[in-house]
Amino acid sequence: MDDKFNTTYITFDGYVQIHKYRYLYFILMVTLYVLIICTNSTIVYLIWIHQNLHEPMYIFIAALSMNSVLFSNAIYPKIFVDVLSERQIIPYSACLFQWFLCYSLGLSDVSILAVMAYDRYVSICKPLQHPLIMKKSTVTVLLLSAWLVPACHMLVIIALSADRKLCSFSLNGIYCNNSVFKLQCVSSRVLSVFGVIAVTNVVIFPLLYILFTYAKIIKITYKSRGDVRKKAAETCIPHLLILISCTSLAVYETTIARVESDFSETRLHAALYQPLINPIIYGLKMKEIFKHIKKMFCSVKLK
């Protein structure tokens, strides 16, 4: 490959025996992609058409499902092409764009979970004030902030990375992520400092807020009646499960870029299965959503 090609394209080096298992990979990836799109779209559709689901909690769940759909569309189409191609390559500019989309959406999940924690706190601890505090305008502002704040942080990181000189053109992964830092000839102090600021603002602060909020919820519900405790358990446990899943992936993605490792297969499982977790947990654990899913399938069988 000539110099012009090397400086323009990045090669994905995370596929394991791609020539041997090409069609098996393709079938598995297509199946997983279809499941993610169908399950998340079903959650969004049910929340959209049923009036009793037009509450802040369900709107935030719909936002998480929309994130999962967008995240999958940012990754899977390129994987389909790569699996069927002889060379798994991507232009550096497109790589930066994919990196921006994936991390903006992934980090906004944490922000949305923080907003959901606030909504649960108000709903459980201040039920009479909930309709006044969580108005439509408030929900809109909170959602826009959850999407825009991570996107703005990522935009700065991408802008600072765009002009960096590259000394390596092989990325150990199957999609573009913060391993892009390893391709740069010299590490940037500005990028490192801003990276710490970004992680603090869009990961650490939201996580601390979530933990603080749920600690208050647990403290208050412990002293409350049984029905209050039941309501808290029904709505908070699914959120905590999603939080654990998102946090684990975020920690893994942050750590893997700092160490030399060949965990591509693990990363494949960690990142690509994540969008399927949300609808499964919310579909099974949220009583109202599960009721509508059951009713939908029953009506299909009757037809």
Side-chain angles (χ1 to χ4, degrees), residues 8-290:
T8 306
Y9 289 87
I10 302 298
T11 300
F12 290 121
D13 198 28
Y15 290 93
V16 180
Q17 296 183 318
I18 183 67
H19 299 291
K20 186 177 180 181
Y21 300 111
R22 185 187 308 279
Y23 297 108
L24 177 60
Y25 281 155
F26 184 77
I27 292 170
L28 289 175
M29 290 299 100
V30 170
T31 302
L32 188 56
Y33 176 71
V34 170
L35 283 173
I36 289 170
I37 298 302
C38 290
T39 53
N40 283 286
S41 298
T42 299
I43 296 294
V44 174
Y45 172 74
L46 290 174
I47 292 172
W48 177 271
I49 64 170
H50 292 290
Q51 194 67 34
N52 68 320
L53 299 182
H54 291 183
E55 298 178 7
M57 177 178 66
Y58 297 110
I59 292 172
F60 297 139
I61 290 173
L64 285 175
S65 289
M66 286 175 59
N67 272 11
S68 295
V69 170
L70 294 172
F71 180 87
S72 299
N73 283 321
I75 291 181
Y76 277 93
K78 175 58 179 161
I79 290 177
F80 298 155
V81 174
D82 285 342
V83 167
L84 297 178
S85 302
E86 290 300 318
R87 294 181 300 181
Q88 293 74 44
I89 59 175
I90 186 172
Y92 184 56
S93 57
C95 185
L96 291 177
F97 183 61
Q98 187 184 59
W99 181 24
F100 167 76
L101 287 178
C102 292
Y103 276 59
S104 294
L105 293 167
L107 292 171
S108 70
D109 277 355
V110 181
S111 299
I112 292 172
L113 287 170
V115 171
M116 292 174 77
Y118 173 69
D119 174 66
R120 290 300 81 209
Y121 169 74
V122 176
S123 176
I124 293 169
C125 303
K126 302 179 180 180
L128 297 179
Q129 300 178 39
H130 184 260
L132 298 174
I133 296 175
M134 299 302 292
K135 296 181 294 185
K136 185 177 179 180
S137 58
T138 305
V139 171
T140 302
V141 171
L142 290 173
L143 267 182
L144 288 176
S145 299
W147 277 317
L148 291 176
V149 171
C152 289
H153 282 80
M154 277 305 301
L155 197 59
V156 174
I157 291 174
I158 297 300
L160 292 172
S161 300
D163 296 328
R164 303 290 299 173
K165 184 179 178 182
L166 303 182
C167 286
S168 175
F169 304 94
S170 180
L171 193 147
N172 186 18
I174 61 173
Y175 69 96
C176 294
N177 46 53
N178 56 4
S179 292
V180 169
F181 290 132
K182 291 182 179 180
L183 307 180
Q184 299 170 2
C185 296
V186 181
S187 60
S188 168
R189 183 178 295 273
V190 175
L191 260 174
S192 298
V193 171
F194 188 79
V196 172
I197 294 172
V199 169
T200 302
N201 288 342
V202 299
V203 178
I204 295 177
F205 282 163
L207 287 178
L208 290 176
Y209 176 77
I210 292 170
L211 293 175
F212 173 77
T213 303
Y214 278 110
K216 293 197 73 173
I217 291 174
I218 292 170
K219 182 180 177 181
I220 291 174
T221 53
Y222 180 75
K223 301 175 181 177
S224 303
R225 303 185 311 274
D227 58 331
V228 177
R229 287 197 292 270
K230 184 179 178 182
K231 177 185 176 183
E234 287 177 352
T235 58
C236 293
I237 288 177
H239 302 165
L240 290 173
L241 292 174
I242 296 296
L243 174 65
I244 292 169
S245 175
C246 289
T247 305
S248 300
L249 180 60
V251 170
Y252 179 79
E253 285 287 333
T254 303
T255 305
I256 203 70
R258 303 295 178 182
V259 296
E260 292 293 336
S261 183
D262 296 319
F263 289 155
S264 299
E265 303 96 323
T266 308
R267 177 172 289 189
L268 175 70
H269 288 82
L272 299 189
Y273 292 138
Q274 173 65 28
L276 193 57
I277 294 175
N278 290 3
I280 291 175
I281 291 178
Y282 286 124
L284 295 176
K285 290 293 184 181
M286 300 297 289
K287 185 188 294 183
E288 288 299 318
I289 293 178
F290 180 73

